[in-house]
Structure formats: structure tokens, C-alpha cells
Amino acid sequence: MRISDLPPALTTAARDPSGRALLEEAMCRAYPGRLAIVSSFGAESAILLALAAEIDRTVPVLFLDTGQHFPATLAYRRRLADRLGLRDVRDIRGEAALLAAHDADSRLHARDADACCAMRKVTPLARALSPFAAWVSGRKRHQSASRADIPPIEIEEERVKLNPLAAWTAAMIEAEMRRRNLPRHPLSLAGYPSIGCAPCTRAVTAGEDPRSGRWAGNSKTECGIHRRHDLAHAGLPR
């Protein structure tokens, strides 16, 4: 599958920098019943989830419950889902047998961070996405240098991935959070602009890349669920 194979209305909607038109076109017309939102319920997750809830509160929302989240993240996941009225939030977990065999001491992250992410995130998400034709990510270009050129639409093998908020800046996120009076992740108010698993996340200081607190001291910058295949923009805005 290529970008050029997608419904024209979808690629037209992707030209709206707000992302709302793309999200609505995908959820209501291009992939009704065949799309999932993937959310970390992190520092900037509330905006995407609020937009999705306005369109359809029954949309499946997949949350990777790694077993190593901050307690604050798990509490925020419940609070935000309740606040927005999301009716189908699914906790996606790694296989217990694999975790017991390869990470019995819950220290695999220190020995091999890629293997830990593979077992706790990449493989479980691939399994959870198998019934869906499309999924939605909350990634934004402002978050890191490695995300600076993400397009609104990507193709991963035969599945469509949408990044409707790609063009949103930190200032836009903050303004919309305030306008909607959305609840904040508690750690986002304590120097954590990007929040992952507790053992691999630290607070950042002023001037640091927002994602510099993820896998600090490690060359790793992504968990592995965002693999880039067909990134042809096909005339879409960057």
C-alpha cells in the first residue's frame, strides 16, 4: 500500500493543520469501526483523546500497560478516560510467560532496553492492532529532532497510521489544554514533558529536548512502535 492508494478525501483532510478534519474523516468515513487510537495517557495525550471523544466516544483506545508505569500514569489513565467519557479503553499487556522467562527480576530495561520495549510494547501492540486497518498516534514534530518531519499520514506495511496533531506546537497544546480545562498528568507539572515507564524516564531541565528524559544515558530515542516505512508526503504539508 502507498499513500497514493488512500481515499482522496483522507489525503485532502490531512491538509488541515488542526488535525480535526483528518481525524473525523478517518473515524467516520474512511475506517469506521476499523480504527484505533493508541495513547500513552502521557503529558500531551489529553488533546487527541478529547478530539476523538467529541467525534465518537466508543472508538477503541489502546493503552500499553507495561507493568512499569508510574502509579500517577495509571491513575491519570482512569481519570482522563472517565472525564472524556471514553467507553472502550483497552489495557494491552505483554505475554506473562515471556515476561516471566526473560524479565523475572523486572530489570531487563537496564540490561537490554530494546528487548524490554519489544516484549512490553512492540509485540503486544502489533497483536492488538491486528484487527484494525488504521491507527492514530499522538506524535508531534515539536517533541524531538527525530520527529521533526513526521507527516500526517504514514503507511506501515498494510496499515495506515495517522498523526493528526503532527503540526501542533507546545504552545498550541498548552493553550488548548487551558481552553478545554483538561486535567493534567501530575508528572507533567513536575518537569516531565514526556512520560514513559518509570525506570526509563527522568525529569528534564529548562532548554532540554522534551524527550531527553526518555532512556537518558542511552542512545535509544524511541520504543520501537513507530517504524517508518512509506513516508512519501504526496503533497501533504510537513
Side-chain angles (χ1 to χ4, degrees):
M1 184 188 298
R2 297 173 298 178
I3 295 287
S4 58
D5 297 326
L6 299 177
L10 191 71
T11 54
T12 297
R15 301 179 189 280
D16 171 16
S18 77
R20 171 64 189 244
L22 178 59
L23 195 58
E24 185 170 2
E25 182 65 28
M27 290 174 63
C28 299
R29 288 173 286 279
Y31 308 106
R34 299 187 297 143
L35 174 147
I37 310 287
V38 176
S39 179
S40 67
F41 284 84
E44 294 184 345
S45 297
I47 299 298
L48 175 60
L49 294 174
L51 290 172
E54 287 179 347
I55 298 168
D56 182 2
R57 291 181 178 179
T58 69
V59 65
V61 176
L62 310 183
F63 170 66
L64 288 166
D65 186 352
T66 64
Q68 296 195 339
H69 282 299
F70 290 98
T73 296
L74 300 179
Y76 184 63
R77 170 238 179 277
R78 293 188 293 270
R79 180 186 179 197
L80 186 58
D82 288 346
R83 167 70 179 275
L84 298 176
L86 295 167
R87 299 175 187 171
D88 190 8
V89 180
R90 306 179 187 182
D91 295 329
I92 309 304
R93 300 182 176 91
E95 292 186 30
L98 282 177
L99 293 170
H102 299 285
D103 194 14
D105 62 354
S106 296
R107 293 287 299 165
L108 181 60
H109 64 87
R111 298 187 295 271
D112 188 338
D114 287 337
C116 187
C117 286
M119 282 200 302
R120 296 177 183 276
K121 292 185 176 183
V122 180
T123 300
L125 181 62
R127 184 172 62 249
L129 284 174
S130 60
F132 299 102
W135 64 289
V136 180
S137 156
R139 292 183 304 161
K140 306 165 195 72
R141 295 172 192 147
H142 81 85
Q143 291 172 323
S144 68
S146 64
R147 296 184 174 188
D149 65 346
I150 58 173
I153 303 176
E154 298 173 277
I155 305 296
E156 291 187 345
E157 299 171 353
E158 292 302 306
R159 187 173 292 109
V160 176
K161 179 165 73 174
L162 307 174
N163 306 302
L165 304 189
W168 282 54
T169 65
M172 292 167 64
I173 292 287
E174 175 62 23
E176 191 66 3
M177 290 285 290
R178 290 178 180 272
R179 188 184 76 81
R180 291 174 175 267
N181 192 30
L182 290 169
R184 312 277 182 148
H185 191 301
L187 292 179
S188 71
L189 305 174
Y192 291 78
S194 181
I195 304 161
C197 294
C200 300
T201 306
R202 66 162 175 82
V204 304
T205 58
E208 284 189 297
D209 186 302
R211 286 181 60 84
S212 62
R214 305 289 296 277
W215 305 286
N218 191 314
S219 60
K220 186 176 176 66
T221 60
E222 296 281 355
C223 67
I225 66 173
H226 298 296
R227 299 161 300 173
R228 303 181 62 163
H229 294 282
D230 178 1
L231 302 191
H233 291 270
L236 301 177
R238 294 186 61 179

